[in-house]
Amino acid sequence: MKLLTDIQLTASIALTHMRTRLKQTVIATIGVIFGITMFVFMVSFIQGSNDFVKAVAFEQSPHLRLYNEVQTTPGTILDKVQTHAVNIVDHVKPKDVLLSLKDGKQIVQTLQQDHRIRAVSGSVNAQVFYRMGSSAINGIINGIEFEAENSLFNLQAKLVDGSFHELSTMPNSLVMGIGLAKRLNVKTGDRFALTTEKGNSFYVTVVGIFKTGMTDIDKQQSYASLNTVQRFLGVPAAYITDIKIKLHDMELAPALSKELQTKYGFQVSDWKQDNSAILEGDALRKMIVYSVAITILLVAGFGIFNILTMMIYEKMKDIAILKAMGFSDADIRWIFLIQALIIGIIGALLGLLFGFLCAYGISKMPYKSDVMITLDHLPVSFNAVYYITGFSFGILTTALAGYLPSRKAAHVDPITILRG
């Protein structure tokens, strides 16, 4: 009971001090409110933008990709013959590697039975030249089985005009990226020439235009049926160059990558390798946002420190009288700590509220983008972690800002002060 009475008394004195210097108290609270509001708003908005960009990139990127690539020969015949000599051979010819995946279609069927895999698609990826009049643009054509590819990348939702289903019914047809269509100045229904790396030319018809929001893809890539691209390249029906996989749990990708590489002997890349630049940029942006927000909170903390320090100088005689009446150093310390904590709690709670309202207002703001087709408003993240972090850091900052002045107040010598 005595402890409860002591707490109530110190809290009452702390509130009295705050009321007598109401203006300074309000200013300190506003500083904390502003810091927490900016923290929540900035983190929510920037992280929401990052999440949207990552979602667009990851939607177009498989969790795992199996492929072959041209590699430099690790050794020469001379090294095998003269094993103990130092052999120097210039201009070593790259090792001849077929880009096709041996037994690729059988591997696709096997992977479809794996419970860890959500969707899998085999495709042919080829470099081509798109020719329209005097325009000749280097790009990529993907031969796909639409249903399988659509289950991986939701292609249907990215269609701007035309239809993907005509790929399987109309000979020599393709669906191209909107950036590529603009560069060639073509639209749905137009015909133009396509030339393969071997020099074979074909006339193709545009049956659709898609837009992913990824500039590199939209400016270079097109889709055709798997059979059509195989015919363009003059390869058998079993020829595929890529196996793309989406997992139920994308975090399993690095471990499964090693497993598949060992099992089948192909090159395997995972989503973390393919999107390393995006992931590093995301980490850097987070660091910048948190640094700015923490700096704002620290400035608010210095404001509280200055106000409490000035209050101690003005209340020296009051402190001396309290200590002469029997208040301990701990009691005096708690009087000023309670003031700092009250400012911190009120400021943090109002800051979270205003931060949420600002973020919510931004999230409802309409936004049109020529690049991001699925973006109709500004993206904002309302992750509870940001609010918990902001509240915790606000309380911590104000507590630290009040600790040093409270220690100074606790060490006041009442006899010296009262003597003047």
Side-chain angles (χ1 to χ4, degrees):
M1 183 64 71
K2 184 178 184 304
L3 178 61
L4 181 61
T5 304
D6 290 344
I7 294 175
Q8 289 176 337
L9 182 59
T10 53
S12 175
I13 295 171
L15 290 172
T16 301
H17 280 184
M18 294 176 70
R19 282 195 297 268
T20 57
R21 294 187 60 86
L22 186 60
K23 184 177 179 179
Q24 289 83 350
T25 301
V26 171
I27 291 173
T29 306
I30 290 175
V32 178
I33 292 172
F34 179 76
I36 300 295
T37 299
M38 291 305 298
F39 175 82
V40 171
F41 172 72
M42 290 173 60
V43 173
S44 298
F45 179 52
I46 294 180
Q47 191 56 43
S49 301
N50 290 346
D51 291 343
F52 181 82
V53 171
K54 286 195 297 182
V56 171
F58 291 166
E59 191 174 25
Q60 291 302 122
S61 174
H63 296 159
L64 287 169
R65 184 169 76 95
L66 281 66
Y67 61 99
N68 275 332
E69 65 179 359
V70 177
Q71 297 177 335
T72 303
T73 306
T76 64
I77 296 177
L78 193 60
D79 293 327
K80 297 179 181 179
V81 175
Q82 299 182 10
T83 56
H84 300 291
V86 177
N87 304 308
I88 301 176
V89 180
D90 294 327
H91 307 297
V92 178
K93 182 181 177 181
K95 182 180 179 181
D96 290 331
V97 176
L98 294 176
L99 296 181
S100 62
L101 303 179
K102 185 179 179 181
D103 300 325
K105 289 196 171 182
Q106 288 76 11
I107 293 173
V108 169
Q109 294 174 359
T110 302
L111 292 174
Q112 287 173 340
Q113 308 304 316
D114 194 318
H115 68 277
R116 297 168 294 182
I117 294 175
R118 177 165 58 86
V120 58
S121 173
S123 62
V124 175
N125 193 1
Q127 293 282 339
V128 295
F129 286 96
Y130 302 101
R131 300 182 182 276
M132 184 67 173
S134 59
S135 299
I137 298 173
N138 182 32
I140 300 169
I141 186 168
N142 282 325
I144 61 170
E145 293 178 343
F146 173 70
E147 295 300 333
E149 199 79 5
N150 190 51
S151 65
L152 265 75
F153 304 121
N154 193 19
L155 297 180
Q156 188 63 40
K158 299 174 178 65
L159 195 66
V160 176
D161 188 30
S163 170
F164 273 103
H165 296 289
E166 292 187 46
L167 294 179
S168 58
T169 59
M170 181 182 292
N172 291 12
S173 59
L174 56 79
V175 177
M176 64 167 46
I178 190 170
L180 180 59
K182 289 180 178 178
R183 294 171 72 190
L184 290 171
N185 194 25
V186 298
K187 60 183 182 299
T188 302
D190 287 349
R191 285 168 54 83
F192 65 93
L194 180 148
T195 305
T196 67
E197 286 183 314
K198 294 182 179 180
N200 300 323
S201 293
F202 302 87
Y203 275 95
V204 295
T205 303
V206 180
V207 296
I209 295 174
F210 68 87
K211 185 177 182 180
T212 65
M214 303 294 290
T215 305
D216 291 341
I217 293 176
D218 291 343
K219 282 190 174 183
Q220 296 186 14
Q221 190 164 293
S222 64
Y223 290 101
S225 70
L226 184 59
N227 294 334
T228 297
V229 177
Q230 289 170 340
R231 181 159 43 81
F232 287 168
L233 299 178
V235 295
Y239 183 95
I240 61 174
T241 60
D242 292 83
I243 296 176
K244 289 164 279 190
I245 298 170
K246 282 287 179 80
L247 305 175
H248 291 290
D249 182 3
M250 62 192 301
E251 295 300 329
L252 296 176
L256 189 55
S257 170
K258 296 178 181 178
E259 179 184 327
L260 296 179
Q261 188 166 6
T262 302
K263 184 175 182 179
Y264 297 115
F266 303 136
Q267 297 293 318
V268 183
S269 65
D270 60 62
W271 65 273
K272 289 187 177 181
Q273 296 172 348
D274 295 339
N275 298 284
S276 57
I278 293 176
L279 295 174
E280 288 183 11
D282 181 38
L284 181 60
R285 283 187 290 272
K286 281 183 180 178
M287 188 184 304
I288 293 172
V289 171
Y290 276 90
S291 298
V292 172
I294 288 172
T295 301
I296 294 172
L297 290 176
L298 288 176
V299 170
F302 279 117
I304 296 171
F305 173 82
N306 290 333
I307 287 171
L308 290 180
T309 301
M310 292 301 296
M311 189 180 294
I312 288 169
Y313 280 114
E314 292 181 2
K315 300 293 183 180
M316 281 293 188
K317 288 188 177 181
D318 293 347
I319 294 170
I321 292 171
L322 289 173
K323 296 190 76 173
M325 293 172 60
F327 280 77
S328 66
D329 290 352
D331 294 331
I332 301 300
R333 188 160 49 244
W334 272 109
I335 289 173
F336 290 93
L337 272 177
I338 287 173
Q339 294 180 51
L341 291 173
I342 289 173
I343 292 171
I345 292 172
I346 294 174
L349 290 175
L350 291 177
L352 294 181
L353 175 62
F354 292 140
F356 171 79
L357 292 175
C358 290
Y360 183 78
I362 286 292
S363 72
K364 297 301 179 183
M365 185 179 294
Y367 182 80
K368 285 288 185 180
S369 172
D370 292 332
V371 178
M372 301 298 185
I373 187 173
T374 58
L375 186 63
D376 56 2
H377 62 274
L378 293 174
V380 176
S381 173
F382 293 98
N383 195 325
V385 172
Y386 310 144
Y387 295 84
I388 295 172
T389 301
F391 182 81
S392 302
F393 194 80
I395 298 300
L396 178 63
T397 303
T398 52
L400 290 176
Y403 177 71
L404 292 177
S406 69
R407 282 189 61 192
K408 184 178 183 64
H411 288 91
V412 168
D413 183 4
I415 297 175
T416 304
I417 298 299
L418 293 174
R419 282 179 178 176

